[in-house]
């Protein structure tokens, strides 16, 4: 581990060092089902219920969503592959921010999150492929983290991959 002197902390008062949040624990259950339908189609369903907690101030508090649901459908034929996936996050943790009320500060849970993505891919051979990816198809303005930053609006990428 580097000393404060090696990091320049003693002379640079604007230095920031990232550290782990604290102790983390998580208990729960996760179930996923995948089904092949015919030669080309597949779908999957999954649900997770958990209790992710963090302790960085002497008290265990919720650190992430307790409920997660995923669903997807895919198609593959010869060199073509397509997929559509949905993600739901519910029973989320508290925001970093709080409301000021007449009775004092009140923390509130982050809103549920819904996101749908899709991909279309063509593999010319074992080394070359092209993919068109669509993100946030529903164009939801969802909060993605404790600081209430929003995810990107609908967007897409076109990628070329070469494997060697």
């Amino acid at each position: 581990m580097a000393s404060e002197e090696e990091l320049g902390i003693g002379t640079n008062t604007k230095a920031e060092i990232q550290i782990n949040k604290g102790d983390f624990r998580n208990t729960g259950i996760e179930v996923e089902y995948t089904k092949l339908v015919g030669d080309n189609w597949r779908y999957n369903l999954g649900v997770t219920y958990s209790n992710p907690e963090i302790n960085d101030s002497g008290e265990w508090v919720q650190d992430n969503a307790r409920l997660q649901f995923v669903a997807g459908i895919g198609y593959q034929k010869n060199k073509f592959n397509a997929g559509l996936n949905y993600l739901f996050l519910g029973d989320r943790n508290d925001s970093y921010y709080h409301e000021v009320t007449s009775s004092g500060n009140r923390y509130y849970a982050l809103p549920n999150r819904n996101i749908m993505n899709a991909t279309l891919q063509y593999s010319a051979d074992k080394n070359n492929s092209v993919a068109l990816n669509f993100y946030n198809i529903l164009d939801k303005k969802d909060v993605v983290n404790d600081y209430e930053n929003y995810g990107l609006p609908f967007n897409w990428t076109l990628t070329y991959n070469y494997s060697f």
Side-chain angles (χ1 to χ4, degrees), residues 26-51:
N26 188 16
T27 56
I29 185 167
E30 180 176 347
V31 178
E32 184 173 4
Y33 176 77
T34 300
K35 174 75 174 171
L36 299 176
V37 182
D39 292 333
N40 305 104
W41 291 93
R42 70 186 177 287
Y43 69 89
N44 65 292
L45 299 168
V47 65
T48 301
Y49 184 77
S50 61
N51 189 27

Side-chain angles (χ1 to χ4, degrees), residues 67-132:
L67 180 62
Q68 178 176 307
F69 173 74
V70 294
I73 187 167
Y75 178 82
Q76 183 173 3
K77 183 161 184 163
N78 301 327
K79 298 178 179 188
F80 177 74
N81 185 29
L84 179 69
N85 295 292
Y86 170 77
L87 168 69
F88 169 83
L89 297 176
D91 192 9
R92 295 181 72 188
N93 51 301
D94 287 342
S95 169
Y96 174 80
Y97 305 106
H98 57 270
E99 295 176 320
V100 178
T101 65
S102 59
S103 59
N105 294 338
R106 182 179 75 82
Y107 287 89
Y108 55 92
L110 297 171
N112 295 339
R113 183 166 188 218
N114 295 276
I115 191 160
M116 185 176 288
N117 299 323
T119 188
L120 302 171
Q121 180 179 5
Y122 177 77
S123 299
D125 55 40
K126 69 177 188 171
N127 301 100
N128 297 281
S129 66
V130 176
L132 180 59

